[in-house]
Amino acid sequence: MRLHDTPIALVAGALALSPLAAGHSLENPALGGLQRRAGAGSKCGPAGGNAVCDDGLCCSEAGVCGTGGGFCTAPGCLLAFGPACDGNKRPSGADTSNTPRPRFGSVPFGVDVSSCTVPGKLALTFDDGPYIYTSALLDLLKKKNARATFFVTGNNAGKGAINDPNSGYAPILQRMIAEGHQIGSHTWSHENLDSLTPEFRRKQFVYNEIALVGVLGVFPSYFRPPYTVCNADCYAELGALGYKVVNYDVDPKDWEDGGAKSHQIFTSAIDSGRQSEYLVLAHDVQPFTVDGFAEFMIDKAQAAGFEIVPAGECLGEPESQWYRDPKTGAARSARGAGPVEEPEPEPSKKPDTTPTGTGGVKRPVITPTPVPTFKVTELPRNSTSTAEPTKGSSTITTAAAATTTTGTSTGTASSQETGAAGVARPGTFLGLLGLGAALVLA
């Protein structure tokens, strides 16, 4: 039925019942005045006329308001339009926003650092954890007398916040420090930073700091952008916050096609002899990596005469310059710092509703079953585009969801169905640990 065929009284009645009706709105100067509010099941975000979900609701990647993993899991949930998105949940602890950021060390701040500087050193770096495989990786590193860097996320993929005692990740992070590994920040909820406004980007940096202080007593001065995507404004903001941005010069693609090319890529780099030091990207959320590939890289590198060390060491900085004191911002060792217990923050103001442009990166959501998988797709380095990435997919799965939501999968035959958040996704994912839901990172 076309609108001009509909009686005016009927249209008026429908509008009066709609959650987007006049009077159900939010003042938002960034959007030019009143911003419409949307109830459960209603459209939100760019697909819904930039409507913002009511408090307590999330805006799914497909632009539908609701609750649960299919709607709220980061990074698929649209932060600017879903107040209850996991990525909008501030961790408990003291705010680090106003912590001084003095400069120290030899590594530059706020620029792309992609190569080690100390000959004979090789840095293995692992992104996206901690996760259920990380402890096994730590066992391997200890056995092989190798030390690594972990660029950690705070609350993504439905795994729970890293400083939440119920998530079980705090002891893993503390073990990393005790065994000589380095921890860097990989943001709070693994968003594409180029798709966010400056305020939302800042929350991604600061929220992870707050959580890490609660676990370690310090926060990192080293950072890696998710998907290694960070435009000029993003780098400037990271520089102002005193971050040394470390990327990589070897990507074995352990996230792609089950690591089909990983052995060849790593072997070619080491055997080429083109460098006397390397910075290597990998992921401790990948069973392929933890179940054999990490050991292959360690054995190959050590046989070639490399010492496997954290990124900070391969860049010539001592461990005392890898972290900041949460109060003074001065360089400080993480060893012996200890977690900082702080009271819950006071209730915050209404969430920022500034739009994210494209609404973030498309990442289908998750589902339950007993076996975990986590596929991570990296985007082109230093991209300044806000277009949604389309190459590959990433998945972390967990157990306790009540329905099966599907997501893009690499090399897996599957049927297609539409999840509760309104997204049609091919592929069925598996889950573990009762963490709630699983996620596909585009």
Side-chain angles (χ1 to χ4, degrees):
M1 178 166 55
R2 293 170 296 179
L3 180 61
H4 65 262
D5 292 332
T6 306
I8 293 178
L10 181 59
V11 173
L15 288 175
L17 293 174
S18 169
L20 305 183
H24 193 70
S25 58
L26 173 72
E27 185 69 28
N28 188 345
L31 296 178
L34 293 178
Q35 181 60 27
R36 296 184 299 169
R37 300 302 299 263
S42 299
K43 282 287 188 179
C44 55
N50 287 335
V52 178
C53 297
D54 286 335
D55 292 345
L57 297 180
C58 303
C59 185
S60 75
E61 60 176 333
V64 179
C65 294
T67 59
F71 295 90
C72 301
T73 301
C77 188
L78 306 186
L79 299 183
F81 307 100
C85 288
D86 286 353
N88 283 330
K89 294 179 179 177
R90 183 199 188 282
S92 62
D95 190 2
T96 59
S97 295
N98 296 319
T99 298
R101 311 285 168 138
R103 302 300 175 100
F104 49 76
S106 58
V107 178
F109 293 84
V111 299
D112 182 325
V113 176
S114 300
S115 298
C116 291
T117 58
V118 181
K121 309 285 188 180
L122 182 144
L124 286 180
T125 66
F126 297 93
D127 288 4
D128 300 341
Y131 191 49
I132 58 175
Y133 311 119
T134 306
S135 292
L137 179 58
L138 290 172
D139 292 343
L140 172 68
L141 292 166
K142 185 174 183 179
K143 174 184 174 183
K144 296 289 184 177
N145 194 29
R147 294 176 297 131
T149 300
F150 294 86
F151 287 100
V152 303
T153 51
N155 186 11
N156 70 310
K159 68 183 184 183
I162 53 175
N163 66 330
D164 182 347
N166 294 320
S167 72
Y169 293 120
I172 296 175
L173 295 170
Q174 291 161 354
R175 178 185 173 187
M176 291 175 184
I177 298 300
E179 296 182 357
H181 305 293
Q182 180 179 7
I183 292 175
S185 177
H186 199 44
T187 73
W188 176 239
S189 58
H190 206 283
E191 311 290 335
N192 178 342
L193 296 175
D194 284 3
S195 73
L196 303 180
T197 63
E199 180 167 355
F200 275 107
R201 273 200 297 266
R202 188 175 181 86
K203 289 178 180 178
Q204 286 294 304
F205 309 146
V206 171
Y207 283 8
N208 217 27
E209 293 175 359
I210 295 170
L212 286 168
V213 168
V215 175
L216 305 175
V218 295
F219 63 84
S221 62
Y222 279 62
F223 181 91
R224 176 174 286 161
Y227 321 107
T228 58
V229 169
C230 188
N231 60 27
D233 289 342
C234 170
Y235 271 103
E237 292 159 10
L238 287 168
L241 285 172
Y243 275 109
K244 304 164 187 182
V245 186
V246 176
N247 283 311
Y248 52 86
D249 53 20
V250 178
D251 178 6
K253 300 186 184 298
D254 61 336
W255 44 268
E256 184 176 80
D257 295 331
K261 300 178 181 178
S262 299
H263 291 83
Q264 177 185 347
I265 293 172
F266 188 80
T267 297
S268 295
I270 299 301
D271 289 350
S272 69
R274 69 175 184 266
Q275 292 175 218
S276 59
E277 62 280 322
Y278 289 96
L279 234 174
V280 182
L281 169 70
H283 301 83
D284 54 320
V285 295
Q286 293 288 348
F288 161 79
T289 301
V290 178
D291 288 346
F293 182 57
E295 185 170 14
F296 170 83
M297 290 192 291
I298 293 169
D299 289 346
K300 182 73 178 177
Q302 290 179 336
F306 287 99
E307 181 184 3
I308 299 174
V309 300
E313 186 170 331
C314 88
L315 291 168
E317 288 195 337
E319 188 264 350
S320 60
Q321 295 179 342
W322 301 348
Y323 308 95
R324 291 185 183 274
D325 182 277
K327 296 187 182 299
T328 68
R332 180 179 175 184
S333 171
R335 299 189 197 223
V340 175
E341 296 184 3
E342 298 285 350
E344 290 286 339
E346 294 181 2
S348 58
K349 298 178 181 179
K350 288 187 177 181
D352 185 345
T353 52
T354 307
T356 58
T358 60
V361 182
K362 293 235 177 203
R363 301 175 184 86
V365 198
I366 39 196
T367 66
T369 32
V371 181
T373 63
F374 195 139
K375 298 179 182 177
V376 176
T377 296
E378 299 295 333
L379 302 182
R381 294 283 304 282
N382 303 325
S383 168
T384 57
S385 172
T386 58
E388 296 172 352
T390 57
K391 184 180 71 172
S393 68
S394 62
T395 309
I396 179 171
T397 59
T398 55
T403 57
T404 298
T405 307
T406 55
T408 307
S409 176
T410 305
T412 303
S414 62
S415 60
Q416 179 169 322
E417 59 182 280
T418 301
V423 185
R425 309 174 180 88
T428 299
F429 299 124
L430 306 176
L432 186 64
L433 286 186
L435 294 178
L439 167 69
V440 176
L441 311 174

